[in-house]
Amino acid sequence: MNSSNYMNRVLLLSLLLAILCLSCGKWSRRAGVYDFPQILQADTLRVLTLNTSTSYFIYRDQPMGYHYDMIRDFCSHHGLVPEIIVAGNTGAMLQMLQDKEADLIAYGVPVTNALKDSMRYCGLQQISHQVLVQRAGRGDTLLTDVTGLIGRQVTVIDQSKYLDRINNLNNELGGGILIDRIDSDTIVVEDLIRMVSRGEIAYTVADDDLAMLNHTYFGNLNVDLPVSFDQRSSWVVRKDTPVLADSLDSWIENRSSGPAFLRIVKRYFEETKGYSYVGRPSFREISGHGIISPFDSYFKRYGEETGIDWRLLASVSYQESNFETEGQSWAGAIGLMGLMSATAASLGAEGEQLLDPEKNIRAGTEYLKSLLHIFRFIDNPDERTKMALAAYNGGIGHVFDAMALTEKYGGDKEVWEGNVERYLQLKRLEQYYSDPVCKNGYFRADETIKYVRDVIDRWEIYKKSLSLPSV
């Protein structure tokens, strides 16, 4: 073999090895040991989860969720970047983990003997049960024992574990519970919880973590009465990654009583996120001198600079913060205009600057202006404003998803009421948020829909009471 042919073969072999090394690490992950030391070397933890209100979702264009925040804390502790992979269901997650498409499942997988041969339960573990969801307002009769359900109607989703449980409970009590079944294609458990809060149905059944999360939205609910035995659930890794499992167990043992862990629990299951469905929007009384707030001069200044009605800015600010300069929402929206830290940073406001009224209002006005510009293809200015407000509150990704769904199903994607609003609401259903035209997954739209309505209604009140400043 001459030296030229030899060199050509060496170069070809080197090229093939380089291609193997650059193929996202899949070859090494599948072919050999890929435990926590290798994960640390790669700087990335591949995490499987489901798109739900208790595990992982996108809100205000930021990833959130109880399980997501927990795994992010683990990754931060070890200097890792979480790569989130959303699966369709628990079965799909388990198969993907077994096929080494991910490193762990950050979701409450029920603990069963069947999985213990191939999987290891570790990390965040929970003991949960199903509870009765009932109203607890003035004049409501609170049930404190399951025997009180005899002769009463309980509404559950058909062909669900909740139906199975209420049927079993009915048999245990010797009958008498009136079981109302709802079609699972058009409704989810959170819809039934909302209906209980509104007084449209009397009772439903939900997992206690989901019930507690919804109690932070609907303060007139009671979710204290268990109707099932405890069920253990846990994060899961493969049996061949014992070091990862031990690292997760060590992390949870050291962090479970710490402030970061407790803050995450409080964020999702304790902090009030409530809103009412009735009545006109609340608003600060306009003084006899035509003053809405102490910050009107800033609303007027930046409204004039951007071409946005200052009274609209005031309405947004009241909705976001009630004009409290140092307020922060459960989702992390800060200050008068309710800005997420990442959004504010992109507009030149960071850290303590977000608590400065002028800087916060300037950044919030610039953000609303950018959203109005994004929706400039909508000719009707009123509809453009509604879309921008929806994006301001819920995130632009979900609004574009809803517009895509509206167009797909024959609606008008440039009209809010009855069109984009409707499909934004439908993004709580898997058949819609998993549609190929959607890029941002599950969304709970109640707050956003109310937000748009309240801001617009309050703006109308302000416009009737106050004229624009003379130029």
Side-chain angles (χ1 to χ4, degrees):
M1 180 184 301
N2 61 43
S3 60
S4 177
N5 288 337
Y6 174 77
M7 288 302 298
N8 287 338
R9 291 191 178 189
V10 169
L11 288 172
L12 180 60
L13 181 59
S14 299
L15 180 62
L16 289 172
L17 288 172
I19 292 171
L20 283 172
C21 291
L22 291 171
S23 62
C24 302
K26 292 181 180 178
W27 181 80
S28 60
R29 286 167 177 166
R30 292 176 182 274
V33 174
Y34 197 79
D35 204 345
F36 198 49
Q38 290 74 30
I39 291 170
L40 289 171
Q41 189 174 8
D43 294 329
T44 300
L45 182 69
R46 300 168 302 157
V47 181
L48 281 161
T49 191
L50 297 184
N51 210 180
T52 73
S53 60
T54 55
S55 53
Y56 173 77
F57 57 92
I58 304 293
Y59 178 57
R60 294 197 168 203
D61 298 317
Q62 304 295 317
M64 296 183 187
Y66 174 61
H67 289 277
Y68 171 77
D69 280 5
M70 286 295 185
I71 198 61
R72 190 177 62 170
D73 183 79
F74 172 80
C75 287
S76 177
H77 184 67
H78 290 285
L80 292 167
V81 176
E83 177 188 327
I84 304 299
I85 305 167
V86 179
N89 52 56
T90 303
M93 282 196 300
L94 291 167
Q95 187 60 56
M96 292 169 74
L97 182 65
Q98 190 66 45
D99 293 341
K100 300 188 177 182
E101 295 179 31
D103 304 311
L104 85 154
I105 293 174
Y107 183 80
V109 177
V111 175
T112 64
N113 289 326
L115 283 178
K116 289 183 178 179
D117 291 337
S118 58
M119 304 289 178
R120 177 167 164 177
Y121 295 102
C122 58
L124 183 63
Q125 301 191 32
Q126 296 173 276
I127 298 177
S128 62
H129 51 264
Q130 294 179 29
V131 297
L132 184 73
V133 180
Q134 56 183 324
R135 282 187 306 280
R138 183 178 300 175
D140 291 319
T141 301
L142 200 63
L143 300 185
T144 57
D145 189 278
V146 292
T147 57
L149 287 171
I150 296 174
R152 301 177 187 267
Q153 181 169 289
V154 180
T155 304
V156 291
I157 292 176
D158 199 12
Q159 299 180 356
S160 68
K161 63 181 180 180
Y162 308 110
L163 174 62
D164 294 340
R165 178 56 200 145
I166 207 68
N167 277 331
N168 290 337
L169 180 60
N170 194 37
N171 291 333
E172 292 164 15
L173 295 175
I177 300 177
L178 308 176
I179 302 173
D180 177 32
R181 307 181 183 197
I182 297 289
D183 185 1
S184 61
D185 291 335
T186 58
I187 206 163
V188 293
V189 177
E190 286 173 296
D191 294 329
L192 295 181
I193 294 174
R194 185 190 307 109
M195 291 167 71
V196 172
S197 175
R198 290 175 171 176
E200 296 169 2
I201 59 175
Y203 308 99
T204 192
V205 175
D207 292 313
D208 62 342
D209 59 345
L210 185 64
M212 287 189 294
L213 184 146
N214 277 272
H215 183 244
T216 66
Y217 287 95
F218 309 113
N220 66 336
L221 294 179
N222 178 278
V223 297
D224 295 335
L225 179 58
V227 296
S228 74
F229 297 110
D230 287 343
Q231 168 68 58
R232 293 170 58 215
S233 64
S234 173
W235 289 357
V236 174
V237 300
R238 290 185 305 279
K239 221 39 178 310
D240 63 3
T241 56
V243 183
L244 174 59
D246 290 341
S247 299
L248 286 162
D249 285 338
S250 176
W251 162 79
I252 201 71
E253 181 179 351
N254 292 327
R255 304 283 279 184
S256 59
S257 59
F261 186 99
L262 297 176
R263 274 197 304 271
I264 294 171
V265 172
K266 183 177 180 180
R267 181 187 197 190
Y268 292 100
F269 302 115
E270 297 177 18
E271 286 188 16
T272 299
K273 313 172 185 69
Y275 39 86
S276 171
Y277 284 95
V278 295
R280 299 172 71 188
S282 59
F283 68 98
R284 191 183 185 120
E285 196 70 31
I286 300 170
S287 76
H289 300 287
I291 297 172
I292 297 175
S293 78
F295 314 106
D296 288 3
S297 60
Y298 299 138
F299 295 135
K300 291 174 182 178
R301 178 192 307 173
Y302 294 111
E304 184 177 347
E305 288 182 7
T306 58
I308 299 174
D309 187 335
W310 76 274
R311 298 162 298 186
L312 174 60
L313 296 176
S315 184
V316 168
S317 181
Y318 184 87
Q319 190 75 17
E320 290 288 345
S321 66
N322 201 17
F323 297 137
E324 295 291 333
T325 59
E326 298 185 7
Q328 180 169 332
S329 77
W330 72 271
I334 301 171
L336 286 167
M337 300 297 285
L339 294 170
M340 301 297 287
S341 296
T343 301
S346 71
L347 296 163
E350 298 183 77
E352 292 296 317
Q353 293 179 331
L354 283 174
L355 303 181
D356 180 281
E358 181 177 2
K359 289 183 173 61
N360 193 286
I361 290 171
R362 180 197 60 75
T365 304
E366 286 295 328
Y367 183 47
L368 183 57
K369 177 185 175 182
S370 70
L371 292 172
L372 289 166
H373 182 72
I374 287 170
F375 292 106
R376 64 190 181 279
F377 60 87
I378 299 176
D379 292 331
N380 187 312
D382 293 336
E383 298 300 330
R384 191 186 315 133
T385 299
K386 291 173 185 176
M387 302 295 182
L389 289 173
Y392 193 104
N393 176 259
I396 193 168
H398 291 301
V399 177
F400 274 119
D401 281 356
M403 294 176 81
L405 286 167
T406 303
E407 185 174 39
K408 178 174 180 175
Y409 289 99
D412 189 340
K413 69 175 184 178
E414 297 186 12
V415 174
W416 174 250
E417 292 179 8
N419 288 270
V420 177
E421 177 191 42
R422 176 185 177 220
Y423 286 96
L424 193 67
Q425 183 71 274
L426 287 171
K427 284 196 71 205
R428 73 195 190 281
L429 301 175
E430 184 178 357
Q431 69 191 81
Y432 291 97
Y433 71 69
S434 63
D435 191 289
V437 303
C438 288
K439 310 301 180 187
N440 295 271
Y442 166 89
F443 186 61
R444 179 185 186 126
D446 301 51
E447 180 181 354
T448 297
I449 289 170
K450 184 178 186 297
Y451 182 95
V452 173
R453 184 178 66 244
D454 283 0
V455 170
I456 293 292
D457 287 352
R458 189 182 303 107
W459 182 29
E460 291 299 324
I461 293 169
Y462 288 164
K463 284 195 291 185
K464 289 177 182 177
S465 303
L466 299 167
S467 61
L468 284 170
S470 58
V471 179

